[in-house]
Amino acid sequence: MALGDLMASRLVHSSSSPSPSPSPSTAAPTAPLPNHHHNHVTDDLPVANGPEPRNGLEPAEVEKPAPVAYLPQVVVLCEQRHEGIDEAAAAAAGPSTSGLVSKWRPKDRMKTGCVALVLCLNISVDPPDVIKISPCARMECWIDPFSMAPPKALENIGKTLHSQYERWQPKARYKLQLDPTVEEVKKLCNTCRKYARSERVLFHYNGHGVPKATTNGEIWVFNKSYTQYIPLPITDLDSWLKTPSIYVFDCSAAGIIVKAFLERLDWSSSSSSSSQKDCILLAACEAHQTLPQSAEFPADVFTACLTTPIKMALHWFCKRSLLRGSMDHSLIDQIPGRQNDRKTLLGELNWIFTAITDTIAWNVLPHDLFQRLFRQDLLVASLFRNFLLAERIMRSANCSPISYPLLPPTHQHHMWDAWDMAAEICLSKLPQLIADPNAEFQPSPFFTEQLTAFEVWLDHGSEDKKPPEQLPIVLQAVQGHLHNRSLANRPIQATKHPSLHYASPDRSLCSLPITTLEVLLSQSHRFRALVLLGRFLDMGPWAVDLALSVGIFPYVLKLLQTSAMELRQILVFIWTKILSLDKSCQVDLVKDGGHAYFIRFLDSLDAYPEQRAMAAFVLAVIVDGHRKGQEACIHACLIDVCLRHLQPENPHDAQTEPLLLQWLCLCLGKLWEDFPEAQLLGLQSNAPEILIYLLSEPQPEVRASAVFALGNLLDMGSTSSNGVDDDSDDDEKVKAEINVIRSLLQVSSDGSPLVRCEVAIALTRFASGHNKHLKSVAAEYWKPQTNSLLKSLPSLANISSPNNIYSPNNIRQGSSGLASHIGPVLRVGSDSSATGRDGKVSTSSPIATSSIMHGSPQSDDSSQHSDSGILLRENASNGGLSYTRSRPVDSVIYSQYISTMCSVAKDPYPRIATIGRRALSLIGVEQVVMKNSRFNSGGAHQGETSVPPSNFGMARSSSWFDMNSGNFSIAFRTPPVSPPQHDYLTGLRRVCSMEFKSHPMNSPEGLADPLLSSAATPSNAELSILPQSTIYNWSCGHFARPLLTGSDDNEEAHARREEREQIALDCIAKCQRSSCKMTSQIASWDTRFDSGTKAALLLPFSPIVIAADENEQIRVWNYDDALPVNSFQNHKLSDRGLSKLLLINELDESLLLAASSDGNVRIWKNFTQKGGQKLVTAFSSVQGHRAAGRSIVIDWQQQSGCLYASGDMSSILVWDLDKEQLLSTIQSSADSAISALSASQVRSGHFAAGFADGSVRIFDVRSPDRLIYMARPHAPRMEKVVGIGFQPGFDPYKIVSASQAGDIQFLDVRRAAEPYLTIEAHRGSLTALAVHRHAPVVASGSAKQMIKVFSLEGEQLTIIRYQPSFMGQRIGSVNCLSFHPYKSLLAAGAGDNALVSIYAEENYK
């Protein structure tokens, strides 16, 4: 399968896509799932009350007990974003320019600039210490010196040696000295060093015509008359050539020279503080050896191996192979082709030889030595590659070449067998190719076989497994190719990006993956090799690091210049993997124009969206913090391309792949980041309107990325120092930025912390850029007021409520509407430009009077009250701001901004709250300490001093907090609007100080009140330390993870779920058959809560009970072992109160939902690990609807993934926890508050609500009318409904409702509004109701220390009054009851003695 198809099939499961759920599980597989759409019509509940059942369903049919047990399949909050996102984690996930991968780049790249060739042959005169055999080796540079006159032979040998070296390094300067004197050698060395400067100098010495080196390490040259041999000390040679240098000594006893050099290096390094010289030595033999004289070798066999390796290797091999008798050796000199043409025999042999020798070196050498010798200098790499051949050949003649640095023996490496096989195949074809020059060349199967072996390894290998021995050549060959191109093909291009030394610490991995790249040079292997390389890179960062250190980089960079369509997808994938680890490659891409390749791919519609998302990722990395990259992409019209693909062609069509949308936004954000010219182009291209459309996308990653892009459209230096915008373009820019901010304010209460965090960061940037104007508006909070007309600005509450639209139709002017005690806040002004997109205003609700304070029981959160606002004086837009002309829209948005940031500063997610506090500090809002005062429904305790109305200007929202410790003080919700009324302003003081006052971190005085000083301007240092966005770096982590293979974790999770489903079904069947008489107390736990137990919860698959108190202390206990498991605070804020505990994903990795009384929801993972709890997500479930009396009620529906929240308010909010988004807002159509909520665990979208007036309503989210049933089962009593629930089983038509008066009513919603069964359970004071999900049993608890258990027929099964102790103490007032999901277990929490008791049947085990 090609990688493009592989990506198409496997990349669908992107980071934003929910994981596939396992198959549904039911006890009776033939029963349809109750939440399937085909049941929607026939099983709808009646819209109105009435005695007749709908849809022809007779009562007899629906009364049959359901024999199936439904287990929900939906899993939520298990995406990568729920692992936690902070700056450190995001930075670690993003591409790096340092650390592990940065080591692949060379820091000391070298080049050999000059080559000195010294030949001391003295042809026809043998040195005195040499006794030659007969026949004797005679060839020098493949020339017989005795075939011509000695001077001519010497000249030809010198020229031939020059041409042989020039093949490896054509750009170097070459200097030749034939039979020289000492002075000539000195002049040669000095000239070479002068030309080379700081580059390396190669000194090649052939001493075949002079005596062996002396014991002092002297080599021999001649006098001018050639009558004497003159010694040349190696110290002189070193002093002339200096460093860096490389020496090749082709003479007998060459090891003596190496030894003398090493002694000099040791002496110089010990006598000098400078670093050791960069000196490399290659010598033909050891100190006690002489060169081979056998006629089967050339006389300069060492030089022949170094400069003509293919010819030398074939001659040597041919004499040892089976071909030696049948093949004419002279044919080897006639091998057709060129070394740089891989479609010829000679070129292919050179290619294979390069791959094999590189692989041997890679496997044998230490990595730093490999880097120095094989990756630093192309000529040195070629010489050492050929030196491995010299060692193999000369050791067969009992001669051991040596080097410095010393290499381990390689002459018996198994890869030489692969070379012998390739050489034999090529030689067998040679006679035919020479006889018929037009014969078709058949390439060797060498690389095809290696690619197949590599593919096999990819199917079974991993980082921890040792790769097969044949695989190193595949990846190493790629590396060898990149650096051999200079030897055979295009050396200059190869020098631009030499591959480097670093690799995985595992030696087996180092040998593995190199082959693919050498193969890439050949078009016949290129596509397959690229696909296999892509699969290898996908195995993890270690594979990318290994491939980079081997040398893929320059080749894949060069491939971006090709127009081959079949390579586009795989090249984009490879570059995605490279850039996910190393951002520094952005410079190379822009320099070579590679960005245009990815822009064209992004703009093509024939690629899969996931692949285009990779192209967007590559472009985002290219422009990330790189101004040249930003400019290049702007000139290539990247903004237009991204914006075009962010818009669906048809507005009614489903939006594009979320991953593509996400990275288009991130790419735009990085393109605009800190680049004012690009920001202006984005504003002119109507980018805000396009991006704002994405703020309602279902995927939080897309919404957060859109916020990131919008935030980077804001220029932090957009306003001038005097606040006057003289240029009309600047004026338009400010208006566009204001529109962006208005849109961001609308999503500041998004359900995802990922989105809200980006909103808070963007708003903080706005505070930095509009600092002066924000301070001016904020100063109005404390400016003395006169009786002039006041403006009430729109609140940002209830973006989903149609009643909260800021438009001229619902705006009234005047101040008389403010009631003396409880009155609607006046909405003054007619600037409809404050209306958000789609006419909705959002996000926080600065409540202005005590009657609608956050948490006040007097508020019904009706449309009149929820649309409260902040007051701004009429002249604030002129006098408060330093504008020369009126900008009422700016005043509006600045005021909205301040109120929103007050809410952000109280966000339940800690990092977001910290960012909110930072933003407020930027506009000069600090704090002073006020005396703690607790407010009741009337406003304050009597006796407090009231404040004169003239002391207050604009009302300010939110409680204020400790700026140092991050802990909120006791929450004073919302001071009133001006003019204030004395009866609800008591206890609030205004501090008339213009200096910031320090606040102790642990102040005993609870209420912190803000103070703004216009004289306190944030310093430059403060402005420079803005919170950093995390969405980009965090999103980059997606591409660093494997994309082509499924995770083993999913298989483990599915297996674990199947096991739990079976356990659950067994337990359900058992409890349905049980008597359900909870007569045995199996455990009693003293939670030691100061305020009693508020909520208790039994875990389904472990003997764990969780309890919490009013102070939101959560404790976990093992009731089998009677041991505490964990204890932690839901939050550290001072404003506390618990509403409910719920379990999410109970069949999978369970999460604990803790709902606070103020509507904040926090969801925890790992809560059963001591100290290991981790916050998964947190949000406000009431989104600005501050329910008075702290009476939030909440319930969770697993199969739909919906969370339902309401309270003392007129609406019910439905949250989709998979999308982390407000799904809908349902009006309750009642005059009283909702006191109980219960979601159906059988029918998706159904939930029941009990009200404070005793009425009961059932809603269906899918129904257009929403309300599908209403009854007053508790009439004529008007006591509030304490508990409500759907009866067990698949029957969705029966509910149970219990009122505070003590009666429990059973209703069948298809028959009539009247209950068919009534149980007078308690005489008043009923406090808790629990309905078992599967067993036919309900339980009720009373404040009068009593628990009763009933069957669904009304039979009292159990009554619990006393503890089973010797003294028989009463159980305590019952605060909460909770059944086990699948077993006959009941947990009860007491209010006075804080005990949690667990009850079971008599025979419980």
Side-chain angles (χ1 to χ4, degrees), residues 326-328 331 334-336 345 425-442:
S326 60
M327 182 175 177
D328 182 2
L331 294 179
Q334 304 175 42
I335 295 179
L345 185 59
I425 292 174
C426 289
L427 287 174
S428 65
K429 303 174 185 175
L430 187 56
Q432 178 186 358
L433 290 175
I434 293 177
D436 182 9
N438 297 323
E440 182 181 358
F441 170 69
Q442 296 293 329

Side-chain angles (χ1 to χ4, degrees), residues 725-744:
D725 296 323
D726 298 324
D727 189 84
S728 59
D729 290 339
D730 290 340
D731 191 38
E732 292 299 320
K733 182 178 180 181
V734 170
K735 289 183 178 179
E737 289 186 348
I738 293 298
N739 188 42
V740 169
I741 289 298
R742 180 178 295 109
S743 302
L744 294 180

Side-chain angles (χ1 to χ4, degrees), residues 77-327:
L77 303 177
C78 58
E79 302 293 342
Q80 189 66 33
R81 65 180 179 270
H82 301 119
E83 296 298 320
I85 301 174
D86 53 31
E87 292 186 21
S96 175
T97 54
S98 61
L100 175 74
V101 179
S102 65
K103 296 181 180 180
W104 72 267
R105 280 192 181 272
K107 294 182 175 60
D108 49 358
R109 196 163 46 195
M110 189 68 65
K111 177 183 177 183
T112 300
C114 201
V115 179
L117 305 176
V118 177
L119 302 182
C120 296
L121 296 180
N122 199 12
I123 297 173
S124 76
V125 178
D126 292 336
D129 59 347
V130 173
I131 301 175
K132 291 188 176 180
I133 63 174
S134 181
C136 183
R138 299 171 60 177
M139 306 290 283
E140 298 279 355
C141 292
W142 304 102
I143 296 174
D144 184 355
F146 299 101
S147 63
M148 61 191 79
K152 183 69 172 176
L154 182 62
E155 181 182 357
N156 285 346
I157 292 170
K159 289 181 178 178
T160 303
L161 181 63
H162 174 196
S163 64
Q164 289 174 352
Y165 266 112
E166 200 169 30
R167 184 182 300 119
W168 306 112
Q169 182 63 294
K171 295 295 183 179
R173 290 175 178 264
Y174 288 86
K175 300 293 180 181
L176 181 65
Q177 283 293 344
L178 306 175
D179 292 346
T181 64
V182 172
E183 288 301 320
E184 289 171 338
V185 173
K186 179 179 180 180
K187 181 179 179 182
L188 171 70
C189 293
N190 289 333
T191 302
C192 287
R193 175 47 60 195
K194 178 181 178 182
Y195 282 138
R197 298 182 181 177
S198 61
E199 294 177 341
R200 197 187 305 276
V201 173
L202 168 65
F203 183 86
H204 179 100
Y205 174 75
N206 183 325
H208 296 173
V210 294
K212 293 186 291 187
T214 67
T215 55
N216 294 328
E218 298 165 316
I219 60 175
W220 297 97
V221 290
F222 303 96
N223 64 357
K224 291 184 178 181
S225 58
Y226 297 98
T227 58
Q228 291 181 340
Y229 298 109
I230 307 298
L232 173 59
I234 205 68
T235 54
D236 291 349
L237 189 63
D238 182 50
S239 65
W240 299 333
L241 281 178
K242 299 183 174 60
T243 189
S245 56
I246 177 172
Y247 298 87
V248 177
F249 295 106
D250 187 356
C251 59
S252 296
I256 297 176
I257 307 172
V258 175
K259 182 180 178 182
F261 248 110
L262 296 182
E263 291 175 352
R264 174 171 172 78
L265 291 175
D266 292 340
W267 176 84
S268 62
S269 62
S270 61
S271 61
S272 173
S273 59
S274 61
S275 60
Q276 189 163 334
K277 290 185 175 182
D278 184 1
C279 183
I280 298 173
L281 304 171
L282 297 176
C285 59
E286 294 185 0
H288 63 281
Q289 295 175 337
T290 59
L291 295 177
Q293 295 187 17
S294 171
E296 72 170 303
F297 299 106
D300 64 343
V301 58
F302 187 61
T303 298
C305 289
L306 294 182
T307 58
T308 56
I310 302 300
K311 186 175 183 177
M312 184 68 239
L314 291 179
H315 273 285
W316 181 80
F317 171 75
C318 193
K319 294 173 181 178
R320 285 163 175 74
S321 74
L322 298 175
L323 300 174
R324 62 181 179 271
S326 60
M327 182 175 177

Side-chain angles (χ1 to χ4, degrees), residues 20 32 37 122 180 229 286 620 677 789 838 876 927 955 1032 1186 1278:
H37 291 295
N122 199 12
Y229 298 109
E286 294 185 0
E677 293 83 356
L789 182 65
D838 299 330
Q927 60 175 8
Y1032 169 75
R1186 296 295 179 179
M1278 299 293 290

Side-chain angles (χ1 to χ4, degrees), residues 792-827:
S792 176
L793 301 182
S795 81
L796 305 174
N798 275 351
I799 63 170
S800 60
S801 171
N803 295 327
N804 293 327
I805 298 176
Y806 184 68
S807 64
N809 296 332
N810 61 0
I811 293 174
R812 294 184 291 125
Q813 293 188 348
S815 59
S816 59
L818 184 62
S820 60
H821 186 67
I822 302 176
V825 176
L826 303 185
R827 303 176 207 94

